[in-house]
Structure formats: C-alpha cells, structure tokens
Coordinates of all heavy atoms in Angstrom, one line a residue:
M259 N 41.0 46.5 37.3 CA 40.6 46.3 35.9 C 41.3 45.0 35.4 O 42.5 44.8 35.7 CB 41.1 47.5 35.1 CG 41.0 47.2 33.6 SD 40.9 48.8 32.8 CE 42.4 48.8 31.9
S260 N 40.5 44.1 34.8 CA 41.1 42.8 34.4 C 40.9 42.6 32.9 O 39.8 42.2 32.5 CB 40.4 41.7 35.2 OG 41.0 40.5 34.8
G261 N 42.0 42.8 32.2 CA 42.0 42.4 30.8 C 41.9 40.9 30.6 O 41.4 40.4 29.6
R262 N 42.4 40.2 31.6 CA 42.4 38.7 31.5 C 41.0 38.2 31.5 O 40.6 37.3 30.8 CB 43.2 38.1 32.7 CG 43.3 36.6 32.6 CD 44.1 36.0 33.8 NE 43.4 36.3 35.1 CZ 42.4 35.6 35.5 NH1 41.8 34.7 34.8 NH2 41.8 35.9 36.7
I263 N 40.2 38.7 32.4 CA 38.8 38.3 32.6 C 38.0 38.7 31.3 O 37.1 38.0 30.8 CB 38.1 38.8 33.9 CG1 38.9 38.2 35.1 CG2 36.7 38.4 33.9 CD1 38.4 38.8 36.4
V264 N 38.2 39.9 30.8 CA 37.6 40.4 29.6 C 37.9 39.4 28.5 O 37.0 39.0 27.7 CB 38.0 41.8 29.2 CG1 37.4 42.2 27.9 CG2 37.4 42.8 30.3
G265 N 39.1 39.1 28.3 CA 39.5 38.1 27.3 C 38.9 36.8 27.4 O 38.4 36.2 26.4
E266 N 38.7 36.3 28.7 CA 38.1 35.1 28.9 C 36.6 35.1 28.5 O 36.1 34.2 27.9 CB 38.2 34.8 30.4 CG 37.5 33.5 30.9 CD 37.6 33.4 32.4 OE1 38.8 33.4 32.9 OE2 36.6 33.3 33.0
I267 N 36.0 36.2 28.7 CA 34.6 36.4 28.3 C 34.4 36.4 26.8 O 33.6 35.8 26.2 CB 34.0 37.6 29.0 CG1 33.7 37.4 30.5 CG2 32.6 38.1 28.3 CD1 33.4 38.6 31.3
L268 N 35.3 37.2 26.2 CA 35.3 37.3 24.7 C 35.5 35.9 24.1 O 34.9 35.6 23.0 CB 36.3 38.3 24.2 CG 36.0 39.8 24.6 CD1 37.2 40.6 24.2 CD2 34.8 40.2 23.9
D269 N 36.4 35.1 24.7 CA 36.7 33.8 24.1 C 35.6 32.7 24.5 O 35.4 31.8 23.7 CB 38.0 33.3 24.6 CG 39.2 34.1 24.0 OD1 39.0 34.8 22.9 OD2 40.3 34.1 24.6
H270 N 35.0 32.8 25.7 CA 34.3 31.6 26.2 C 32.8 31.9 26.6 O 32.2 31.0 27.1 CB 35.0 31.0 27.4 CG 36.4 30.6 27.0 ND1 36.7 29.7 26.0 CD2 37.6 30.9 27.6 CE1 38.0 29.5 25.9 NE2 38.6 30.2 26.9
A271 N 32.4 33.1 26.5 CA 31.0 33.4 26.9 C 30.0 32.7 26.0 O 30.3 32.4 24.8 CB 30.7 34.9 26.9
P272 N 28.9 32.2 26.5 CA 27.9 31.5 25.7 C 27.5 32.3 24.4 O 27.4 33.5 24.5 CB 26.7 31.3 26.6 CG 27.3 31.4 28.0 CD 28.4 32.4 27.9
D273 N 27.4 31.6 23.3 CA 27.1 32.2 22.0 C 25.7 32.8 22.0 O 25.5 33.7 21.2 CB 27.3 31.2 20.9 CG 28.7 30.9 20.5 OD1 29.6 31.7 20.9 OD2 28.9 29.9 19.9
D274 N 24.8 32.4 22.8 CA 23.5 32.9 22.7 C 23.2 34.1 23.6 O 22.0 34.5 23.8 CB 22.5 31.8 23.0 CG 22.5 31.2 24.4 OD1 23.5 31.5 25.1 OD2 21.6 30.5 24.8
L275 N 24.2 34.7 24.2 CA 24.0 35.9 25.0 C 23.6 37.0 24.0 O 24.0 37.1 22.9 CB 25.3 36.4 25.6 CG 25.8 35.6 26.8 CD1 27.1 36.2 27.4 CD2 24.8 35.4 27.9
T276 N 22.7 37.9 24.5 CA 22.3 39.0 23.7 C 23.4 40.0 23.7 O 24.3 40.0 24.5 CB 21.0 39.7 24.2 OG1 21.3 40.3 25.5 CG2 19.8 38.7 24.4
P277 N 23.4 41.0 22.7 CA 24.4 42.0 22.7 C 24.5 42.8 24.0 O 25.6 43.1 24.5 CB 24.1 42.9 21.5 CG 23.4 42.0 20.6 CD 22.6 41.0 21.5
A278 N 23.3 43.1 24.6 CA 23.3 43.8 25.9 C 23.9 43.0 27.0 O 24.7 43.5 27.8 CB 21.8 44.2 26.2
E279 N 23.6 41.7 27.1 CA 24.1 40.8 28.1 C 25.7 40.7 28.0 O 26.4 40.8 28.9 CB 23.5 39.4 28.0 CG 22.1 39.4 28.4 CD 21.4 38.1 28.0 OE1 22.0 37.3 27.2 OE2 20.3 37.8 28.5
M280 N 26.1 40.6 26.7 CA 27.6 40.5 26.5 C 28.3 41.8 26.9 O 29.3 41.8 27.6 CB 27.8 40.2 25.0 CG 29.3 40.0 24.7 SD 29.8 38.4 25.4 CE 31.3 38.1 24.5
L281 N 27.7 43.0 26.5 CA 28.3 44.3 26.9 C 28.3 44.5 28.4 O 29.3 45.0 28.9 CB 27.5 45.4 26.1 CG 28.2 46.7 26.0 CD1 29.7 46.6 25.5 CD2 27.4 47.6 25.1
V282 N 27.2 44.2 29.0 CA 27.2 44.3 30.5 C 28.2 43.4 31.2 O 28.9 43.8 32.1 CB 25.7 44.0 31.0 CG1 25.7 43.9 32.6 CG2 24.8 45.2 30.6
L283 N 28.3 42.2 30.7 CA 29.3 41.2 31.2 C 30.7 41.7 31.0 O 31.6 41.7 31.9 CB 29.1 39.8 30.6 CG 29.9 38.7 31.2 CD1 29.6 38.5 32.7 CD2 29.5 37.4 30.5
I284 N 31.0 42.3 29.9 CA 32.3 42.9 29.6 C 32.6 44.1 30.5 O 33.7 44.2 31.0 CB 32.5 43.2 28.1 CG1 32.5 41.9 27.3 CG2 33.7 44.1 27.8 CD1 32.4 42.2 25.8
A285 N 31.6 44.9 30.7 CA 31.8 46.1 31.6 C 32.1 45.6 33.0 O 32.9 46.2 33.6 CB 30.5 47.0 31.5
L286 N 31.4 44.6 33.4 CA 31.7 44.1 34.8 C 33.1 43.5 34.8 O 33.8 43.7 35.8 CB 30.7 43.0 35.2 CG 29.2 43.5 35.4 CD1 28.3 42.3 35.6 CD2 29.2 44.4 36.6
A287 N 33.5 42.7 33.8 CA 34.8 42.1 33.8 C 35.9 43.2 33.8 O 36.9 43.0 34.4 CB 34.9 41.2 32.6
D288 N 35.6 44.3 33.1 CA 36.6 45.3 33.0 C 36.9 45.9 34.4 O 38.0 46.4 34.7 CB 36.2 46.4 32.0 CG 37.2 47.5 31.9 OD1 38.3 47.2 31.5 OD2 36.8 48.7 32.1
D289 N 35.9 45.9 35.2 CA 36.0 46.5 36.6 C 36.5 45.5 37.6 O 36.8 45.8 38.7 CB 34.7 47.1 37.0 CG 34.8 47.9 38.3 OD1 35.6 48.8 38.3 OD2 34.0 47.6 39.2
A290 N 36.5 44.2 37.2 CA 36.7 43.1 38.2 C 38.2 43.0 38.6 O 39.1 43.3 37.8 CB 36.3 41.8 37.6
R291 N 38.4 42.6 39.8 CA 39.8 42.3 40.3 C 40.1 40.9 39.9 O 39.3 40.0 40.1 CB 39.8 42.5 41.8 CG 39.5 43.9 42.3 CD 39.6 44.0 43.8 NE 38.6 43.1 44.4 CZ 37.8 43.4 45.4 NH1 37.9 44.6 45.9 NH2 36.9 42.5 45.9
D292 N 41.3 40.7 39.5 CA 41.8 39.3 39.1 C 41.7 38.3 40.3 O 41.3 37.2 40.1 CB 43.2 39.3 38.6 CG 43.3 39.7 37.1 OD1 42.4 39.4 36.4 OD2 44.3 40.3 36.8
R293 N 42.1 38.8 41.5 CA 42.2 37.8 42.6 C 40.9 37.2 43.0 O 40.9 36.0 43.4 CB 42.9 38.5 43.7 CG 42.1 39.5 44.5 CD 42.9 40.0 45.7 NE 41.9 40.8 46.5 CZ 42.0 42.1 46.5 NH1 43.0 42.7 46.0 NH2 41.2 42.8 47.2
D294 N 39.8 37.9 42.9 CA 38.5 37.3 43.4 C 37.4 37.5 42.4 O 36.3 37.2 42.7 CB 38.1 37.9 44.7 CG 37.9 39.4 44.7 OD1 38.0 40.0 43.7 OD2 37.6 40.0 45.8
R295 N 37.7 38.0 41.2 CA 36.8 38.2 40.1 C 35.6 39.1 40.5 O 34.5 38.9 40.0 CB 36.3 36.8 39.6 CG 37.5 35.9 39.2 CD 37.0 34.6 38.7 NE 36.3 34.6 37.4 CZ 36.9 34.7 36.2 NH1 38.2 34.7 36.1 NH2 36.2 34.7 35.1
T296 N 35.8 40.0 41.4 CA 34.7 40.8 41.9 C 34.8 42.2 41.3 O 35.8 42.8 41.2 CB 34.8 41.0 43.4 OG1 34.7 39.6 44.0 CG2 33.7 41.8 44.0
A297 N 33.6 42.7 40.8 CA 33.5 44.0 40.2 C 32.6 44.8 41.2 O 31.6 44.3 41.7 CB 32.8 44.0 38.9
R298 N 32.9 46.1 41.3 CA 32.1 47.0 42.2 C 31.6 48.2 41.4 O 32.4 48.8 40.6 CB 32.9 47.5 43.3 CG 33.4 46.5 44.3 CD 34.2 47.2 45.4 NE 34.5 46.2 46.4 CZ 35.1 46.6 47.6 NH1 35.4 47.8 47.8 NH2 35.3 45.6 48.4
F299 N 30.4 48.7 41.7 CA 29.9 49.9 41.1 C 29.2 50.6 42.3 O 28.4 50.0 43.0 CB 28.9 49.7 40.0 CG 29.6 49.1 38.8 CD1 29.8 47.8 38.5 CD2 30.2 50.0 37.8 CE1 30.4 47.3 37.4 CE2 30.8 49.5 36.7 CZ 31.0 48.2 36.5
H300 N 29.4 51.9 42.4 CA 28.7 52.7 43.4 C 27.2 52.7 43.2 O 26.4 52.4 44.1 CB 29.1 54.1 43.5 CG 30.5 54.3 44.1 ND1 30.8 54.1 45.4 CD2 31.7 54.5 43.5 CE1 32.1 54.3 45.6 NE2 32.7 54.5 44.5
S301 N 26.7 53.0 42.1 CA 25.3 52.9 41.7 C 25.2 52.0 40.5 O 25.2 52.4 39.4 CB 24.7 54.3 41.4 OG 25.4 55.0 40.4
S302 N 25.1 50.7 40.8 CA 25.3 49.7 39.8 C 24.6 49.9 38.5 O 25.3 50.0 37.5 CB 24.9 48.4 40.4 OG 23.6 48.3 40.7
V303 N 23.3 50.0 38.4 CA 22.6 50.1 37.2 C 23.0 51.4 36.4 O 23.3 51.4 35.2 CB 21.1 50.0 37.3 CG1 20.4 50.3 36.1 CG2 20.8 48.6 37.8
A304 N 23.0 52.5 37.2 CA 23.4 53.8 36.5 C 24.8 53.8 36.0 O 25.0 54.3 34.9 CB 23.2 55.0 37.5
S305 N 25.7 53.3 36.7 CA 27.1 53.3 36.3 C 27.3 52.4 35.0 O 28.0 52.7 34.1 CB 28.1 52.8 37.4 OG 28.1 53.7 38.4
I306 N 26.7 51.2 35.1 CA 26.8 50.3 34.0 C 26.1 50.8 32.8 O 26.6 50.7 31.6 CB 26.2 48.9 34.4 CG1 27.0 48.3 35.5 CG2 26.2 47.9 33.2 CD1 26.4 47.1 36.2
A307 N 24.9 51.4 33.0 CA 24.2 52.1 31.9 C 25.0 53.1 31.2 O 25.1 53.2 30.0 CB 22.9 52.6 32.3
H308 N 25.7 53.9 32.0 CA 26.5 55.0 31.5 C 27.7 54.4 30.7 O 28.0 54.9 29.6 CB 27.1 55.9 32.6 CG 28.1 56.9 32.1 ND1 27.7 58.0 31.5 CD2 29.4 57.0 32.2 CE1 28.7 58.7 31.2 NE2 29.8 58.1 31.6
R309 N 28.4 53.4 31.2 CA 29.5 52.8 30.5 C 29.2 52.1 29.3 O 29.9 52.1 28.3 CB 30.3 51.9 31.5 CG 30.9 52.6 32.6 CD 31.7 51.6 33.5 NE 33.0 51.4 32.8 CZ 33.7 50.3 32.9 NH1 33.4 49.4 33.8 NH2 34.9 50.2 32.3
T310 N 28.0 51.4 29.2 CA 27.6 50.6 28.1 C 26.7 51.3 27.1 O 26.5 50.8 26.0 CB 26.9 49.3 28.6 OG1 25.7 49.7 29.3 CG2 27.8 48.5 29.4
R311 N 26.2 52.5 27.5 CA 25.3 53.3 26.6 C 24.0 52.5 26.4 O 23.4 52.5 25.3 CB 25.9 53.7 25.3 CG 26.8 54.9 25.3 CD 27.9 54.8 26.1 NE 29.0 55.8 25.9 CZ 30.1 55.8 26.5 NH1 30.4 54.8 27.3 NH2 31.0 56.7 26.3
I312 N 23.6 51.7 27.4 CA 22.4 50.9 27.4 C 21.4 51.5 28.4 O 21.8 51.9 29.5 CB 22.7 49.4 27.7 CG1 23.6 48.8 26.7 CG2 21.4 48.6 27.8 CD1 24.1 47.4 27.0
K313 N 20.1 51.5 28.1 CA 19.1 52.0 29.0 C 19.1 51.2 30.3 O 19.4 50.0 30.3 CB 17.7 51.9 28.3 CG 17.6 52.9 27.2 CD 16.2 52.8 26.6 CE 16.1 53.7 25.4 NZ 14.8 53.6 24.8
P314 N 18.9 51.9 31.4 CA 18.9 51.3 32.7 C 18.0 50.0 32.8 O 18.4 49.0 33.4 CB 18.4 52.4 33.7 CG 18.8 53.6 33.0 CD 18.6 53.4 31.6
G315 N 16.8 50.1 32.2 CA 15.9 48.9 32.3 C 16.5 47.7 31.5 O 16.4 46.6 32.0
T316 N 17.2 48.0 30.5 CA 17.9 46.9 29.7 C 19.0 46.3 30.5 O 19.3 45.1 30.5 CB 18.3 47.4 28.3 OG1 17.2 48.0 27.6 CG2 19.0 46.3 27.5
V317 N 19.8 47.2 31.2 CA 20.9 46.8 32.1 C 20.3 45.9 33.2 O 20.9 44.8 33.5 CB 21.6 48.0 32.7 CG1 22.6 47.5 33.8 CG2 22.4 48.7 31.6
R318 N 19.2 46.3 33.8 CA 18.6 45.5 34.9 C 18.2 44.1 34.4 O 18.5 43.1 35.0 CB 17.4 46.2 35.5 CG 17.8 47.2 36.5 CD 16.5 47.7 37.3 NE 15.7 48.5 36.4 CZ 15.8 49.8 36.2 NH1 16.8 50.4 36.8 NH2 15.0 50.5 35.5
N319 N 17.6 44.1 33.2 CA 17.2 42.8 32.6 C 18.4 41.9 32.3 O 18.4 40.7 32.5 CB 16.4 43.0 31.3 CG 15.1 43.6 31.5 OD1 14.5 43.5 32.6 ND2 14.5 44.2 30.5
A320 N 19.5 42.5 31.7 CA 20.7 41.8 31.4 C 21.3 41.2 32.7 O 21.8 40.1 32.7 CB 21.7 42.7 30.7
L321 N 21.4 42.0 33.7 CA 22.0 41.6 35.0 C 21.2 40.4 35.6 O 21.7 39.4 36.1 CB 22.0 42.7 36.0 CG 23.1 43.8 35.8 CD1 22.8 45.0 36.7 CD2 24.5 43.3 36.0
S322 N 19.9 40.5 35.5 CA 19.0 39.4 35.9 C 19.2 38.1 35.2 O 19.4 37.0 35.7 CB 17.5 39.9 35.8 OG 16.7 38.8 36.2
R323 N 19.3 38.2 33.8 CA 19.5 37.0 33.0 C 20.9 36.5 33.2 O 21.1 35.2 33.3 CB 19.3 37.4 31.5 CG 17.8 37.6 31.2 CD 17.5 37.7 29.7 NE 18.3 38.7 29.1 CZ 17.8 40.0 28.9 NH1 16.6 40.3 29.2 NH2 18.5 40.9 28.3
L324 N 21.9 37.3 33.4 CA 23.3 36.8 33.7 C 23.3 36.1 35.0 O 24.0 35.1 35.1 CB 24.3 38.0 33.6 CG 24.5 38.6 32.2 CD1 25.3 39.9 32.4 CD2 25.2 37.6 31.3
T325 N 22.6 36.6 36.0 CA 22.5 36.0 37.3 C 21.8 34.7 37.2 O 22.3 33.7 37.8 CB 21.8 36.9 38.3 OG1 22.6 38.1 38.4 CG2 21.8 36.3 39.7
N326 N 20.7 34.6 36.5 CA 19.9 33.4 36.4 C 20.7 32.3 35.7 O 20.5 31.1 36.0 CB 18.6 33.6 35.7 CG 17.6 34.4 36.5 OD1 17.7 34.5 37.7 ND2 16.7 35.1 35.8
R327 N 21.6 32.7 34.8 CA 22.4 31.7 34.0 C 23.7 31.3 34.8 O 24.4 30.4 34.4 CB 22.8 32.3 32.7 CG 21.6 32.4 31.8 CD 22.0 32.7 30.4 NE 22.7 31.5 29.8 CZ 23.1 31.5 28.5 NH1 22.9 32.6 27.8 NH2 23.7 30.5 28.0
G328 N 23.9 32.0 35.9 CA 25.1 31.6 36.7 C 26.4 32.3 36.2 O 27.5 31.9 36.7
L329 N 26.3 33.2 35.3 CA 27.5 33.9 34.8 C 28.0 35.0 35.8 O 29.2 35.3 35.8 CB 27.2 34.6 33.4 CG 26.9 33.6 32.3 CD1 26.4 34.3 31.1 CD2 28.2 32.8 32.0
I330 N 27.1 35.5 36.6 CA 27.5 36.4 37.7 C 26.6 36.1 38.9 O 25.6 35.5 38.8 CB 27.3 37.9 37.3 CG1 25.8 38.2 37.0 CG2 28.2 38.3 36.1 CD1 25.5 39.7 36.8
R331 N 27.1 36.6 40.0 CA 26.3 36.5 41.2 C 26.6 37.8 42.0 O 27.7 38.4 41.9 CB 26.6 35.3 42.1 CG 27.9 35.2 42.7 CD 28.1 33.8 43.4 NE 29.5 33.6 43.8 CZ 30.1 34.1 44.8 NH1 29.4 34.9 45.7 NH2 31.3 33.8 45.0
T332 N 25.6 38.2 42.8 CA 25.8 39.4 43.6 C 26.3 39.0 45.0 O 25.9 38.0 45.5 CB 24.5 40.3 43.7 OG1 23.5 39.4 44.2 CG2 24.0 40.8 42.4
R333 N 27.1 39.9 45.5 CA 27.7 39.6 46.8 C 27.0 40.4 47.9 O 26.8 40.0 49.0 CB 29.2 39.8 46.8 CG 29.8 39.4 48.1 CD 31.3 39.5 48.1 NE 31.9 38.4 47.3 CZ 33.1 38.3 46.9 NH1 33.9 39.3 47.2 NH2 33.5 37.2 46.3
H334 N 26.7 41.7 47.6 CA 26.0 42.6 48.5 C 24.8 43.2 47.9 O 24.9 43.6 46.7 CB 27.0 43.7 49.0 CG 28.2 43.2 49.8 ND1 28.1 42.7 51.0 CD2 29.5 43.1 49.4 CE1 29.3 42.3 51.5 NE2 30.1 42.6 50.5
K335 N 23.8 43.4 48.6 CA 22.6 44.1 48.0 C 22.9 45.6 48.0 O 23.6 46.1 48.9 CB 21.4 43.9 48.9 CG 21.0 42.4 48.9 CD 20.5 42.0 47.6 CE 20.1 40.5 47.6 NZ 19.9 39.9 46.3
A336 N 22.5 46.2 46.9 CA 22.7 47.7 46.8 C 21.9 48.5 47.8 O 20.7 48.3 48.0 CB 22.3 48.1 45.4
K337 N 22.6 49.3 48.6 CA 22.0 50.2 49.5 C 22.7 51.5 49.4 O 23.8 51.6 49.0 CB 22.2 49.7 51.0 CG 21.4 48.4 51.2 CD 21.7 47.9 52.7 CE 21.0 46.6 52.9 NZ 21.2 46.0 54.2
P338 N 22.0 52.6 49.7 CA 22.7 53.9 49.6 C 24.0 53.9 50.4 O 24.1 53.5 51.5 CB 21.7 54.9 50.3 CG 20.4 54.2 50.1 CD 20.7 52.7 50.2
G339 N 25.1 54.3 49.7 CA 26.4 54.4 50.3 C 27.2 53.1 50.2 O 28.4 53.1 50.6
L340 N 26.6 52.0 49.8 CA 27.3 50.8 49.7 C 27.5 50.4 48.2 O 26.8 50.7 47.4 CB 26.6 49.6 50.4 CG 26.4 49.8 51.9 CD1 25.6 48.6 52.5 CD2 27.8 49.8 52.6
H341 N 28.6 49.6 48.0 CA 28.8 49.1 46.7 C 27.9 47.9 46.4 O 27.6 47.1 47.2 CB 30.3 48.6 46.6 CG 31.3 49.7 46.7 ND1 31.5 50.5 45.7 CD2 32.1 50.0 47.7 CE1 32.5 51.4 46.0 NE2 32.9 51.0 47.3
Q342 N 27.6 47.8 45.1 CA 27.0 46.5 44.6 C 28.2 45.7 44.1 O 29.0 46.3 43.3 CB 26.0 46.8 43.5 CG 25.4 45.5 42.9 CD 24.4 44.8 43.9 OE1 23.6 45.5 44.5 NE2 24.6 43.6 44.0
E343 N 28.3 44.5 44.5 CA 29.4 43.7 44.0 C 28.9 42.6 43.2 O 27.9 41.9 43.6 CB 30.2 43.1 45.2 CG 31.0 44.2 46.0 CD 31.8 43.6 47.1 OE1 31.7 42.4 47.4 OE2 32.6 44.4 47.7
Y344 N 29.6 42.3 42.1 CA 29.2 41.2 41.2 C 30.5 40.3 41.1 O 31.6 40.8 40.8 CB 28.9 41.8 39.8 CG 27.7 42.6 39.8 CD1 27.8 44.0 39.9 CD2 26.4 42.1 39.7 CE1 26.7 44.8 39.9 CE2 25.3 42.9 39.8 CZ 25.4 44.3 39.8 OH 24.3 45.1 39.8
V345 N 30.3 39.0 41.2 CA 31.3 38.1 41.1 C 31.1 37.4 39.8 O 30.0 36.8 39.5 CB 31.4 37.0 42.3 CG1 32.5 36.0 42.1 CG2 31.5 37.8 43.6
I346 N 32.1 37.3 38.9 CA 32.0 36.8 37.6 C 32.5 35.3 37.6 O 33.5 35.0 38.2 CB 32.9 37.6 36.6 CG1 32.4 39.0 36.6 CG2 32.8 37.0 35.2 CD1 33.3 40.0 35.9
A347 N 31.7 34.5 37.0 CA 32.0 33.0 37.0 C 33.3 32.8 36.1 O 33.6 33.5 35.2 CB 30.9 32.3 36.3
N348 N 34.0 31.7 36.5 CA 35.1 31.3 35.7 C 34.5 30.6 34.4 O 33.7 29.7 34.5 CB 36.0 30.3 36.4 CG 36.8 30.9 37.5 OD1 37.5 31.9 37.3 ND2 36.7 30.3 38.7
L349 N 35.0 31.1 33.3 CA 34.5 30.5 32.0 C 35.6 29.8 31.3 O 36.8 30.1 31.4 CB 34.0 31.6 31.1 CG 32.8 32.4 31.6 CD1 32.4 33.5 30.6 CD2 31.6 31.5 31.9
N350 N 35.2 28.7 30.6 CA 36.2 28.0 29.8 C 35.5 27.6 28.5 O 34.4 28.0 28.3 CB 36.7 26.7 30.6 CG 35.6 25.8 30.9 OD1 34.7 25.4 30.1 ND2 35.6 25.3 32.2
Q351 N 36.2 26.9 27.7 CA 35.7 26.6 26.3 C 34.4 25.8 26.4 O 33.6 26.1 25.5 CB 36.8 25.7 25.6 CG 36.6 25.6 24.2 CD 37.8 25.0 23.5 OE1 38.6 24.3 24.2 NE2 37.9 25.1 22.2
A352 N 34.1 25.0 27.4 CA 32.8 24.3 27.4 C 31.6 25.2 27.5 O 30.5 24.9 27.1 CB 32.8 23.3 28.6
H353 N 31.8 26.4 28.1 CA 30.7 27.4 28.3 C 30.3 28.0 27.0 O 29.2 28.6 26.9 CB 31.1 28.4 29.3 CG 31.3 27.9 30.7 ND1 32.6 27.8 31.2 CD2 30.5 27.3 31.5 CE1 32.5 27.3 32.4 NE2 31.2 26.9 32.6
R354 N 31.2 28.0 26.0 CA 30.9 28.8 24.7 C 29.6 28.3 24.1 O 28.8 29.1 23.6 CB 32.1 28.5 23.8 CG 31.9 29.2 22.4 CD 32.2 30.7 22.6 NE 31.9 31.4 21.4 CZ 32.8 32.0 20.6 NH1 34.0 31.8 20.8 NH2 32.4 32.6 19.5
F355 N 29.3 27.0 24.2 CA 28.1 26.5 23.5 C 27.0 26.2 24.5 O 26.0 25.5 24.2 CB 28.5 25.3 22.6 CG 29.5 25.7 21.6 CD1 30.8 25.3 21.8 CD2 29.2 26.5 20.6 CE1 31.8 25.7 20.9 CE2 30.2 26.9 19.6 CZ 31.5 26.5 19.8
A356 N 27.1 26.7 25.7 CA 26.0 26.4 26.7 C 24.8 27.2 26.3 O 24.9 28.3 25.7 CB 26.5 26.9 28.1
T357 N 23.7 26.7 26.6 CA 22.4 27.4 26.3 C 21.8 27.9 27.6 O 22.3 27.6 28.7 CB 21.4 26.4 25.7 OG1 21.1 25.4 26.6 CG2 22.0 25.8 24.4
T358 N 20.7 28.6 27.5 CA 20.0 29.2 28.7 C 19.6 28.1 29.6 O 19.4 28.4 30.8 CB 18.8 30.0 28.3 OG1 17.9 29.2 27.5 CG2 19.3 31.2 27.5
R359 N 19.5 26.9 29.2 CA 19.1 25.8 30.1 C 20.2 25.2 30.9 O 20.1 24.6 31.9 CB 18.4 24.6 29.3 CG 17.1 25.0 28.7 CD 16.5 23.8 28.0 NE 17.4 23.4 26.9 CZ 17.2 23.7 25.6 NH1 16.2 24.3 25.2 NH2 18.1 23.2 24.7
D360 N 21.5 25.5 30.4 CA 22.6 25.0 31.1 C 23.0 25.9 32.2 O 23.0 27.1 32.1 CB 23.8 24.9 30.1 CG 23.6 23.9 29.0 OD1 22.8 22.9 29.2 OD2 24.0 24.2 27.9
E361 N 23.4 25.3 33.4 CA 23.8 26.1 34.5 C 25.3 26.2 34.6 O 26.0 25.2 34.3 CB 23.2 25.5 35.8 CG 23.5 26.3 37.0 CD 22.9 25.7 38.2 OE1 21.7 25.3 38.2 OE2 23.6 25.6 39.3
I362 N 25.8 27.4 34.9 CA 27.2 27.6 35.0 C 27.6 27.9 36.4 O 26.9 28.7 37.1 CB 27.6 28.8 34.1 CG1 27.3 28.5 32.6 CG2 29.1 29.2 34.3 CD1 27.5 29.7 31.7
T363 N 28.6 27.1 36.9 CA 29.0 27.3 38.3 C 30.0 28.4 38.4 O 31.0 28.3 37.8 CB 29.6 26.0 38.8 OG1 28.6 24.9 38.6 CG2 29.9 26.0 40.3
P364 N 29.7 29.4 39.3 CA 30.7 30.5 39.5 C 31.9 30.0 40.1 O 32.0 29.1 40.8 CB 30.0 31.5 40.3 CG 28.6 31.0 40.5 CD 28.5 29.6 40.0

C-alpha cells in the first residue's frame, strides 16, 4: 500500500480525469508497491469495482482511458489464477494540466 503514490495522484493527476478515472487510479495507487509502482488484483475489474463502488463496465472504461493516456500500463494479461498487474506512471506538477491529447510517459 502506497500513501506516497496516492498523494502524488491527488496532487498531480490531470485535472480533466473523470471522477471514475480518478477513483480507479487512486484504488490502484493504494495497492501499489513503492519500489516498482505496481498494483495487483486477483480479478482486476471485480476487485476494483468492489473497492470503488463503480460498475464493472465503468471500471473497464476507466482502465482503458487511463492506459491510453499513459497513466497506467498493464504488465500481465489477466488469466484465471494469475494477477493482473498495473504499473502507475510517475506524475509531477507538469501532468496536472495535461489534456487527453498529451501523452504521459510511465
């Protein structure tokens, strides 16, 4: 669990994220390890949906948009019995005002 990464997201995540995208990103950050910024969920969408109280379809859409913007990337594909891993990008003050057209390097 990384309060440092959660704080980084609260301070520097792009202003134009939807509430669902922000909540999913915070849930991932809460589960992430500090050393490699990696979050794991056994059944990714179901676990995230449960923690965020967001419908699974909305979670999938948020994960897709966060990936497309470069805020997260997946490390392993979800398969029965395997973890889905998400790596959270390093954010700084410059990312706060990034738009959907701006690419963020993880």
